[in-house]
Amino acid sequence: MRKIHINCAKPGMILARSIFASDGNVLLGSWVELNQRYIDRLKEKGVYHIYIEDELSQGIEVVDVIADETRIKAKGIVKSVMFDVAKDNEINDAYRITKIVNQIVDELLENKDVLINLSDMRLIDDYTFGHCVNVCVLSVMTGIAMGYNQLRLRELGVGALLHDIGKMKIPIKLLKKPGQLTDDEYKEIKRHTILGFDILRNCDTISKISANTALAHHERCDGTGYPNGLLKDQIHDFSKIVAIADVYDAMTSDRAYRKALEPYKAVEYILAMSLTQFDYNVAKIFIGNISIYPVGSGVVLNTGEKGLVVEVNKEFPTRPRVRIILDKYGCHYNKFEEIDLLQHPTIFVTSTCNDLM
């Protein structure tokens, strides 16, 4: 299978991964043949990328670090809990959060040697809940790499999953405002960290560390963050982790007002900011678990050729195995050759691409 932008989808293509609605029901199932009506409907729903199965990508398997069922369940729980908070100003059943975080931690511990390839395909209206789950996955994977025990991983996971819960007390028109915010509007949105902290600390079954993670996930090591303008040594490692995960997932997610950045560009940004805003050591560990060129994505080589990433190397993430599809003139090869860039030091990826047809 391979990942393509929805604008590259054509009738007759075979969908390789199911697309789920926000309630967990299948919107469009895998192995369905696309037609123009399906494609138009996906665009209306705000689905910007899909996975297809074709001759070019035969045998390429995209493996997520958690099961689709777990991801869907987690998004549903986050949605339910957030709606409870919006209505009652409290978490009515924290057990659901603890249970799903435990499941996420267990699955990530089983797949700790797999680079994170966030392959969920979200509807645009599903962004908030999918974002919370991805931040949890990214944060826990980083915690595993930092040697945390299971108790700390679970506390980190809960704080990460609920890091934005305070936004449920912010007017929706502000959160979805497409234009630039005024100073007063930005001040109001920044209150979500304090509001989230108050909600979580009043829940007996959620630890104070998890609550503090929600409070401080917008703090920055150089003191430019909020709400308290803390410096590096004053910020808990959990908040440092979630801060990076939050920014990375936001940058690599499609929004109504902008396209997602490619993972390698988001990684470049995080590295650039790791000497000021982010903790350098945490950022280095975080990036070590990210698939810079995800399996199933199209890449352009310095030779001018284009191909698909078949396999990634965790020790050398910029040197994947690539199936060469097009020559430097844009013509298809009669037979697809796969090359391991680790064995070809003079060949490297220069950029990514969507269209290999």
Side-chain angles (χ1 to χ4, degrees), residues 160-180:
L161 193 65
L162 300 178
H163 75 284
D164 267 346
I165 199 165
K167 285 186 175 179
M168 299 311 293
K169 311 308 294 183
I170 301 294
I172 190 69
K173 65 180 181 180
L174 283 186
L175 296 176
K176 291 194 172 184
K177 183 178 177 179
Q180 187 172 358

Side-chain angles (χ1 to χ4, degrees), residues 254-275:
D254 287 298
R255 305 300 301 275
Y257 50 85
R258 62 152 177 80
K259 292 182 179 180
L261 284 183
E262 296 293 341
Y264 77 94
K265 291 184 178 179
V267 164
E268 287 175 354
Y269 173 83
I270 288 170
L271 278 175
M273 294 295 104
S274 65
L275 297 177

Side-chain angles (χ1 to χ4, degrees), residues 27-85:
L27 183 66
L28 201 59
S30 58
W31 302 108
V32 166
E33 182 176 325
L34 295 176
N35 56 40
Q36 195 58 51
R37 182 169 64 88
Y38 287 156
I39 295 170
D40 292 341
R41 183 64 172 156
L42 292 177
K43 289 180 180 179
E44 289 173 9
K45 287 288 187 180
V47 176
Y48 293 99
H49 289 90
I50 60 174
Y51 284 90
I52 64 167
E53 187 74 46
D54 60 6
E55 184 182 357
L56 304 183
S57 59
Q58 191 172 15
I60 298 177
E61 184 180 0
V62 178
V63 179
D64 203 350
V65 286
I66 62 170
D68 286 343
E69 295 78 7
T70 303
R71 187 180 292 281
I72 294 164
K73 185 178 179 181
K75 284 196 285 189
I77 290 172
V78 170
K79 182 177 181 179
S80 176
V81 168
M82 285 191 163
F83 283 2
D84 285 347
V85 166

Side-chain angles (χ1 to χ4, degrees), residues 1-6 8-10 12-17 31-32 34 42 49-58 60 62 121 296 308 354 356-357:
M1 69 176 73
R2 64 187 177 101
K3 187 177 183 179
I4 64 169
H5 194 277
I6 191 65
C8 296
K10 296 179 176 60
M13 287 181 169
I14 304 299
L15 192 66
R17 292 179 72 98
W31 302 108
V32 166
L34 295 176
L42 292 177
H49 289 90
I50 60 174
Y51 284 90
I52 64 167
E53 187 74 46
D54 60 6
E55 184 182 357
L56 304 183
S57 59
Q58 191 172 15
I60 298 177
V62 178
M121 293 167 289
L308 287 171
N354 272 307
L356 292 171
M357 299 302 291

Side-chain angles (χ1 to χ4, degrees), residues 117-180:
N117 175 56
L118 297 176
S119 58
D120 64 316
M121 293 167 289
R122 305 178 212 166
L123 311 187
I124 197 67
D125 291 338
D126 204 22
Y127 169 79
T128 297
F129 316 119
H131 172 68
C132 289
V133 175
N134 276 353
V135 170
C136 178
V137 169
L138 290 163
S139 298
V140 172
M141 204 68 173
T142 305
I144 291 172
M146 292 174 70
Y148 289 173
N149 60 33
Q150 291 201 21
L151 175 59
R152 296 198 76 194
L153 291 174
R154 282 158 173 70
E155 287 183 318
L156 170 61
V158 169
L161 193 65
L162 300 178
H163 75 284
D164 267 346
I165 199 165
K167 285 186 175 179
M168 299 311 293
K169 311 308 294 183
I170 301 294
I172 190 69
K173 65 180 181 180
L174 283 186
L175 296 176
K176 291 194 172 184
K177 183 178 177 179
Q180 187 172 358

